[in-house]
Amino acid sequence: MPPYYLTTPIYYVNDAPHVGTAYTTVNADALARWHRLVGDEVWFMTGTDEHGAKIVEAAEANGTTPQDWTDRTSARFVEAWRRLDIAYDDFIRTTEPRHYAVVQRFLQRIYDNGYIELAPYSGLYCVSCEDYYTEDQLIEGTCPVHGRPVIEMQEDNYFFKLSAFEDRLLEFYDQHPDFVRPVSKRNEALGFIRGGLRDVSITRTSFTWGVPVPWDSGHVFYVWYDALINYLTVAGYGSDDAAFASRWGAAHHLIGKDILKFHCVWWPAMCMAAQIDPPDEIFVHGYLLMGGQKLGKTMIAAGAAGGDGAKALRVTDVSPLALADDFGVDPLRYHLVRDVPLGGDGDFSYEGIVSRYNADLANNLGNLVSRVTTVVQSKCGGVGPACDEGSELAAVAAETLETTAAAWARWAPHEGLEATWRLIGAANARLEAAEPWKMEPGPAVDAVLGDALEVLRIVAVLIGPAMPATAREVWRRIGVPGDPGSARLPDAAAWGGYEGGATVEKGAPLFPRRKA
Ligand code: ME8
């Protein structure tokens, strides 16, 4: 089985999970499930980023210690991802001993290789970004991302000699045209590199909440230089050579565009400095936007935890758990995967979720399940008839599998789902044309319903990555044993799998229509 190592960013624990972090994590989970479905040996990870000045600030603001604060907030991520059915293989916390060991080993190697050196540093620092700015990058004297005042920092710092990697990075990008996708984001990364790279200060002495520098005990590593290395800790760097060889050769990072520079410029340079290959691929997605305002990062995180952002941003609409309570977990997951294509920015609104829910789930998928199971009760005695090997829907199903699979493989799960929905539409259209509910019981009705049941069997397999619980429920209702999540493509979607003879259950509507 080919390995496939998929990562999300590890999220800051200065606040609660929000719909922006859920967007990345649900899409990554769906992609991981898709890769399992096609038979890849998937290792899927997420986690929390727990060091740095921002966390110390959040802990202080909440009257507690950084350790207590990170324990509590990291647990909220674990709980949120459990509720949203995120099936990760590993969840890393950067405060774990296994991570300290890897950060120290990796950066010691870079130090030994001569790419880290001590120098005095002073600069303008935004605590929310955990990043320095130059005077001309500020907007009216404040951070361009957060609009908050920057602080003058003066430290004796260790610097990573990023400037030494300009040419090597350009060469690497040239040799790996798909290293960063989509191409607009690749160009942005190239723009950073061509614009000239300055050395990066990678240690702090102003606080102790970080991984200690092994060769100089007065320093801790700067949070980004500890965070990026999490991908190696989980891959088994220095602890499990066989796992590392397989995972790191197949590492795919899914990130948001806000952290492009760190992943697409700093990270490959760090890998080169430590003499390991950069990751295989970085896919950079856009932002969910609400009313033109960025949803994530500090603003919504504060809001989601009941802080300052709450009133302006309708926080109950942007907490993923509140949305899951309202719509159901799978409809939320479907919305996040289907509505905002990975790569560009997209609007996020309550109305948008409702209209997508009604159009695709209530009127299409839900309607098909309800019609088929109802008519099997009334015309076939509740027992599903076998499908017809020569059905006209067989060709549609084959075409659907091909387009669906191609889309998921190129990071376009929204198109994959769109393609799958064409099969649902074709099955609904066939039912409308044949009107089995008006026919007398007999072979003609059986043929129409057997085919529709086979469509549902295949559809459940194909929607499983986005809506795992719904997929299981569809199989259960139509009497197919097992879990569609354990099925393997292409066999599981080959026409003819619905054998007939199983009890079909009508059940309550899967997706009752929503008014607003
Ligand atoms: O940056 N739309 O953590 P973070 C879509 N700890 N995605 C969004 C979003 C939005 N409005 N807002 C946030 C950090 N995200 C670092 C990462 S990795 C080694 C360290 C998602 O908690 C998106 O994936 O600020 C973005 O990149 C990430 O959350 C930032 O999460």
Side-chain angles (χ1 to χ4, degrees), residues 395-456:
V396 184
E399 193 273 336
T400 297
L401 172 62
E402 206 179 305
T403 23
T404 300
W408 281 88
R410 61 183 154 77
W411 299 85
H414 68 291
E415 280 179 27
L417 291 171
E418 193 182 5
T420 302
W421 252 254
R422 288 201 289 275
L423 177 58
I424 298 173
N428 267 325
R430 171 120 188 269
L431 287 176
E432 272 149 34
E435 299 188 309
W437 43 87
K438 291 187 180 163
M439 294 159 74
E440 288 304 316
V445 173
D446 288 357
V448 173
L449 289 171
D451 289 355
L453 285 160
E454 172 64 344
V455 165
L456 283 176

Side-chain angles (χ1 to χ4, degrees), residues 12 23 52 75 98 125 141 153 184 197 210 244 270 277 286 301 353 382 385 389 416 428 432 466:
Y12 286 131
Y23 173 69
R98 62 168 173 158
Y125 195 74
M153 287 260 270
S184 58
L197 299 177
F244 184 69
M270 288 164 68
D277 287 334
I353 306 185
E389 293 284 339
N428 267 325
E432 272 149 34

